[in-house]
Amino acid sequence: MSAKGWLLSMGLGAAVGAVAVMMLPQQSTARKLANQAADKVENVAHQLADKMMSETEM
């Protein structure tokens, strides 16, 4: 599988997962855990981007 195909598959999988989570009730434990996981992934992505930017500025 090419990188383009793999990325497309991952993107579609993430979109389907997001739709499934949005269909859950807001007070659902699964939805709360999914939101927490998404927040952690976002924080790690920001930290990685900041680290990469600081290393390229040197």
Side-chain angles (χ1 to χ4, degrees):
M1 177 181 274
S2 69
K4 184 177 178 181
W6 185 82
L7 289 172
L8 181 61
S9 297
M10 294 302 292
L12 289 174
V16 169
V19 168
V21 168
M22 289 186 339
M23 292 173 58
L24 295 170
Q26 288 200 356
Q27 298 304 319
S28 170
T29 303
R31 185 170 183 161
K32 289 178 184 178
L33 290 174
N35 286 338
Q36 289 174 355
D39 289 341
K40 287 181 183 180
V41 168
E42 183 179 11
N43 287 339
V44 169
H46 283 292
Q47 290 172 355
L48 180 61
D50 289 343
K51 183 176 180 181
M52 290 173 64
M53 290 299 290
S54 68
E55 287 182 4
T56 57
E57 290 175 356
M58 292 183 172

